[in-house]
Short mmCIF file of all heavy atoms in Angstrom, two decimals:
data_model
loop_
_atom_site.label_atom_id
_atom_site.label_comp_id
_atom_site.label_asym_id
_atom_site.label_seq_id
_atom_site.Cartn_x
_atom_site.Cartn_y
_atom_site.Cartn_z
N THR A 65 95.60 -26.59 -27.39
CA THR A 65 94.17 -26.89 -27.23
C THR A 65 93.49 -25.83 -26.36
O THR A 65 94.00 -25.48 -25.30
CB THR A 65 93.97 -28.28 -26.58
OG1 THR A 65 94.57 -29.26 -27.42
CG2 THR A 65 92.47 -28.61 -26.43
N ASP A 66 92.34 -25.33 -26.84
CA ASP A 66 91.53 -24.38 -26.10
C ASP A 66 90.32 -25.10 -25.51
O ASP A 66 89.72 -25.94 -26.17
CB ASP A 66 91.01 -23.26 -27.03
CG ASP A 66 92.07 -22.19 -27.27
OD1 ASP A 66 93.19 -22.32 -26.73
OD2 ASP A 66 91.76 -21.24 -28.02
N PHE A 67 89.97 -24.75 -24.25
CA PHE A 67 88.76 -25.27 -23.62
C PHE A 67 87.81 -24.10 -23.39
O PHE A 67 88.14 -23.16 -22.63
CB PHE A 67 89.09 -25.93 -22.28
CG PHE A 67 90.05 -27.09 -22.40
CD1 PHE A 67 91.42 -26.92 -22.16
CD2 PHE A 67 89.60 -28.35 -22.80
CE1 PHE A 67 92.30 -27.97 -22.30
CE2 PHE A 67 90.49 -29.42 -22.94
CZ PHE A 67 91.84 -29.23 -22.69
N ASP A 68 86.67 -24.10 -24.09
CA ASP A 68 85.68 -23.05 -23.86
C ASP A 68 84.87 -23.46 -22.63
O ASP A 68 84.30 -24.56 -22.61
CB ASP A 68 84.75 -22.91 -25.08
CG ASP A 68 85.54 -22.43 -26.31
OD1 ASP A 68 86.62 -21.84 -26.12
OD2 ASP A 68 85.09 -22.70 -27.44
N CYS A 69 84.87 -22.60 -21.61
CA CYS A 69 84.29 -22.99 -20.32
C CYS A 69 83.26 -21.97 -19.83
O CYS A 69 83.26 -20.82 -20.25
CB CYS A 69 85.39 -23.08 -19.26
SG CYS A 69 86.70 -24.23 -19.65
N THR A 70 82.46 -22.46 -18.88
CA THR A 70 81.55 -21.57 -18.14
C THR A 70 81.95 -21.63 -16.67
O THR A 70 82.18 -22.73 -16.14
CB THR A 70 80.09 -22.06 -18.28
OG1 THR A 70 79.81 -22.16 -19.69
CG2 THR A 70 79.13 -21.07 -17.64
N ILE A 71 82.06 -20.48 -16.06
CA ILE A 71 82.47 -20.45 -14.65
C ILE A 71 81.34 -21.02 -13.78
O ILE A 71 80.17 -20.65 -13.95
CB ILE A 71 82.81 -19.01 -14.21
CG1 ILE A 71 84.10 -18.56 -14.95
CG2 ILE A 71 82.99 -18.92 -12.71
CD1 ILE A 71 84.52 -17.15 -14.61
N GLU A 72 81.72 -21.95 -12.87
CA GLU A 72 80.70 -22.53 -11.97
C GLU A 72 80.74 -21.85 -10.60
O GLU A 72 79.74 -21.39 -10.07
CB GLU A 72 80.94 -24.04 -11.82
CG GLU A 72 80.32 -24.81 -12.97
CD GLU A 72 80.20 -26.31 -12.69
OE1 GLU A 72 80.91 -26.85 -11.82
OE2 GLU A 72 79.41 -26.94 -13.41
N THR A 73 81.97 -21.79 -10.01
CA THR A 73 82.07 -21.14 -8.70
C THR A 73 83.32 -20.27 -8.67
O THR A 73 84.30 -20.56 -9.35
CB THR A 73 82.19 -22.19 -7.56
OG1 THR A 73 83.35 -22.99 -7.84
CG2 THR A 73 80.94 -23.04 -7.46
N VAL A 74 83.25 -19.21 -7.89
CA VAL A 74 84.39 -18.29 -7.73
C VAL A 74 84.75 -18.20 -6.25
O VAL A 74 83.97 -17.68 -5.45
CB VAL A 74 84.06 -16.88 -8.27
CG1 VAL A 74 85.26 -15.94 -8.08
CG2 VAL A 74 83.68 -16.94 -9.75
N GLU A 75 85.88 -18.77 -5.87
CA GLU A 75 86.40 -18.64 -4.48
C GLU A 75 87.69 -17.84 -4.58
O GLU A 75 88.24 -17.67 -5.69
CB GLU A 75 86.74 -20.03 -3.91
CG GLU A 75 85.61 -21.05 -4.00
CD GLU A 75 84.47 -20.72 -3.04
OE1 GLU A 75 84.73 -20.00 -2.04
OE2 GLU A 75 83.32 -21.11 -3.34
N LYS A 76 88.23 -17.43 -3.42
CA LYS A 76 89.43 -16.58 -3.41
C LYS A 76 90.58 -17.24 -4.18
O LYS A 76 91.25 -16.62 -5.00
CB LYS A 76 89.83 -16.31 -1.94
CG LYS A 76 91.00 -15.35 -1.78
CD LYS A 76 91.10 -14.89 -0.30
CE LYS A 76 92.40 -14.12 -0.06
NZ LYS A 76 93.60 -14.98 -0.25
N ASP A 77 90.80 -18.54 -3.94
CA ASP A 77 91.96 -19.13 -4.62
C ASP A 77 91.58 -20.33 -5.48
O ASP A 77 92.39 -21.18 -5.77
CB ASP A 77 93.03 -19.54 -3.59
CG ASP A 77 92.43 -20.50 -2.58
OD1 ASP A 77 91.25 -20.87 -2.75
OD2 ASP A 77 93.14 -20.86 -1.64
N ALA A 78 90.30 -20.39 -5.88
CA ALA A 78 89.91 -21.46 -6.82
C ALA A 78 88.67 -21.02 -7.60
O ALA A 78 87.63 -20.72 -7.00
CB ALA A 78 89.61 -22.75 -6.04
N VAL A 79 88.82 -20.96 -8.91
CA VAL A 79 87.67 -20.64 -9.76
C VAL A 79 87.39 -21.88 -10.61
O VAL A 79 88.22 -22.28 -11.43
CB VAL A 79 87.98 -19.42 -10.66
CG1 VAL A 79 86.83 -19.15 -11.64
CG2 VAL A 79 88.27 -18.19 -9.80
N VAL A 80 86.24 -22.51 -10.35
CA VAL A 80 85.91 -23.78 -11.02
C VAL A 80 85.20 -23.48 -12.35
O VAL A 80 84.26 -22.69 -12.38
CB VAL A 80 85.01 -24.65 -10.11
CG1 VAL A 80 84.60 -25.93 -10.85
CG2 VAL A 80 85.75 -24.98 -8.82
N CYS A 81 85.73 -24.11 -13.41
CA CYS A 81 85.18 -23.84 -14.76
C CYS A 81 84.70 -25.15 -15.37
O CYS A 81 85.45 -26.13 -15.40
CB CYS A 81 86.27 -23.23 -15.64
SG CYS A 81 87.07 -21.79 -14.92
N ARG A 82 83.48 -25.15 -15.89
CA ARG A 82 82.91 -26.33 -16.54
C ARG A 82 83.26 -26.28 -18.02
O ARG A 82 82.98 -25.26 -18.68
CB ARG A 82 81.39 -26.33 -16.33
CG ARG A 82 80.61 -27.40 -17.10
CD ARG A 82 80.81 -28.79 -16.58
NE ARG A 82 80.56 -28.93 -15.14
CZ ARG A 82 80.85 -30.06 -14.47
NH1 ARG A 82 81.43 -31.07 -15.10
NH2 ARG A 82 80.62 -30.15 -13.18
N VAL A 83 83.89 -27.34 -18.54
CA VAL A 83 84.28 -27.34 -19.96
C VAL A 83 83.05 -27.60 -20.82
O VAL A 83 82.34 -28.58 -20.66
CB VAL A 83 85.35 -28.43 -20.22
CG1 VAL A 83 85.70 -28.47 -21.71
CG2 VAL A 83 86.60 -28.16 -19.39
N GLN A 84 82.79 -26.68 -21.74
CA GLN A 84 81.64 -26.85 -22.65
C GLN A 84 82.10 -27.44 -24.00
O GLN A 84 81.39 -28.15 -24.66
CB GLN A 84 80.98 -25.47 -22.93
CG GLN A 84 80.56 -24.71 -21.68
CD GLN A 84 79.48 -25.43 -20.86
OE1 GLN A 84 78.81 -26.34 -21.37
NE2 GLN A 84 79.33 -25.06 -19.60
N ASP A 85 83.35 -27.08 -24.37
CA ASP A 85 83.84 -27.52 -25.69
C ASP A 85 85.38 -27.45 -25.68
O ASP A 85 85.95 -26.67 -24.92
CB ASP A 85 83.27 -26.57 -26.77
CG ASP A 85 83.75 -26.96 -28.18
OD1 ASP A 85 84.10 -28.16 -28.37
OD2 ASP A 85 83.81 -26.08 -29.05
N SER A 86 86.01 -28.30 -26.47
CA SER A 86 87.48 -28.15 -26.62
C SER A 86 87.82 -28.26 -28.09
O SER A 86 87.11 -28.96 -28.85
CB SER A 86 88.22 -29.23 -25.82
OG SER A 86 88.01 -30.48 -26.42
N HIS A 87 88.82 -27.53 -28.52
CA HIS A 87 89.17 -27.49 -29.96
C HIS A 87 90.59 -26.97 -30.09
O HIS A 87 91.12 -26.32 -29.17
CB HIS A 87 88.18 -26.58 -30.72
CG HIS A 87 88.03 -25.22 -30.09
ND1 HIS A 87 88.90 -24.18 -30.33
CD2 HIS A 87 87.14 -24.74 -29.18
CE1 HIS A 87 88.52 -23.13 -29.64
NE2 HIS A 87 87.47 -23.45 -28.91
N PRO A 88 91.20 -27.23 -31.26
CA PRO A 88 92.56 -26.70 -31.46
C PRO A 88 92.53 -25.17 -31.37
O PRO A 88 91.57 -24.54 -31.85
CB PRO A 88 92.90 -27.14 -32.88
CG PRO A 88 92.00 -28.28 -33.18
CD PRO A 88 90.72 -28.02 -32.40
N ALA A 89 93.53 -24.61 -30.76
CA ALA A 89 93.62 -23.14 -30.67
C ALA A 89 93.65 -22.58 -32.08
O ALA A 89 94.27 -23.18 -32.98
CB ALA A 89 94.89 -22.75 -29.93
N GLU A 90 92.95 -21.46 -32.29
CA GLU A 90 92.85 -20.89 -33.64
C GLU A 90 93.85 -19.76 -33.86
O GLU A 90 93.77 -19.03 -34.83
CB GLU A 90 91.42 -20.34 -33.86
CG GLU A 90 90.36 -21.45 -33.96
CD GLU A 90 89.14 -21.17 -33.08
OE1 GLU A 90 88.96 -20.01 -32.66
OE2 GLU A 90 88.40 -22.11 -32.81
N THR A 91 94.76 -19.59 -32.94
CA THR A 91 95.59 -18.37 -33.03
C THR A 91 97.05 -18.65 -33.37
O THR A 91 97.90 -17.78 -33.24
CB THR A 91 95.56 -17.64 -31.66
OG1 THR A 91 95.98 -18.60 -30.68
CG2 THR A 91 94.17 -17.12 -31.35
N GLU A 92 97.34 -19.90 -33.75
CA GLU A 92 98.75 -20.21 -34.01
C GLU A 92 99.10 -20.07 -35.50
O GLU A 92 98.26 -20.33 -36.36
CB GLU A 92 99.05 -21.64 -33.56
CG GLU A 92 99.05 -21.79 -32.04
CD GLU A 92 100.12 -20.92 -31.39
OE1 GLU A 92 101.30 -21.06 -31.77
OE2 GLU A 92 99.76 -20.09 -30.54
N PRO A 93 100.34 -19.68 -35.80
CA PRO A 93 100.76 -19.65 -37.21
C PRO A 93 100.74 -21.05 -37.81
O PRO A 93 100.77 -22.04 -37.06
CB PRO A 93 102.20 -19.13 -37.16
CG PRO A 93 102.44 -18.64 -35.78
CD PRO A 93 101.43 -19.28 -34.89
N ARG A 94 100.71 -21.13 -39.14
CA ARG A 94 100.70 -22.44 -39.80
C ARG A 94 102.03 -23.16 -39.60
O ARG A 94 102.11 -24.37 -39.66
CB ARG A 94 100.47 -22.25 -41.31
CG ARG A 94 99.10 -21.68 -41.62
CD ARG A 94 98.96 -21.37 -43.08
NE ARG A 94 97.63 -20.82 -43.36
CZ ARG A 94 97.29 -20.35 -44.55
NH1 ARG A 94 98.16 -20.36 -45.54
NH2 ARG A 94 96.09 -19.85 -44.75
N GLN A 95 103.10 -22.39 -39.42
CA GLN A 95 104.43 -22.98 -39.29
C GLN A 95 104.88 -22.89 -37.82
O GLN A 95 104.41 -22.05 -37.07
CB GLN A 95 105.45 -22.21 -40.16
CG GLN A 95 105.14 -22.25 -41.65
CD GLN A 95 104.08 -21.23 -42.06
OE1 GLN A 95 103.82 -20.26 -41.33
NE2 GLN A 95 103.44 -21.45 -43.20
N GLN A 96 105.81 -23.78 -37.48
CA GLN A 96 106.40 -23.74 -36.14
C GLN A 96 107.70 -22.93 -36.23
O GLN A 96 108.65 -23.36 -36.89
CB GLN A 96 106.70 -25.17 -35.66
CG GLN A 96 107.16 -25.22 -34.22
CD GLN A 96 107.20 -26.63 -33.69
OE1 GLN A 96 106.39 -27.48 -34.06
NE2 GLN A 96 108.16 -26.88 -32.82
N LEU A 97 107.69 -21.74 -35.62
CA LEU A 97 108.81 -20.80 -35.77
C LEU A 97 109.71 -20.85 -34.54
O LEU A 97 109.23 -20.76 -33.41
CB LEU A 97 108.25 -19.38 -35.92
CG LEU A 97 107.14 -19.18 -36.98
CD1 LEU A 97 106.63 -17.75 -36.92
CD2 LEU A 97 107.64 -19.52 -38.37
#
Side-chain angles (χ1 to χ4, degrees):
T65 300
D66 279 0
F67 300 98
D68 295 338
C69 302
T70 305
I71 292 179
E72 277 195 340
T73 58
V74 179
E75 308 290 337
K76 185 167 170 295
D77 57 4
V79 175
V80 177
C81 307
R82 172 71 53 189
V83 177
Q84 305 297 343
D85 180 24
S86 69
H87 51 84
E90 290 132 17
T91 55
E92 289 299 304
R94 295 174 180 174
Q95 299 81 20
Q96 187 169 326
L97 310 175

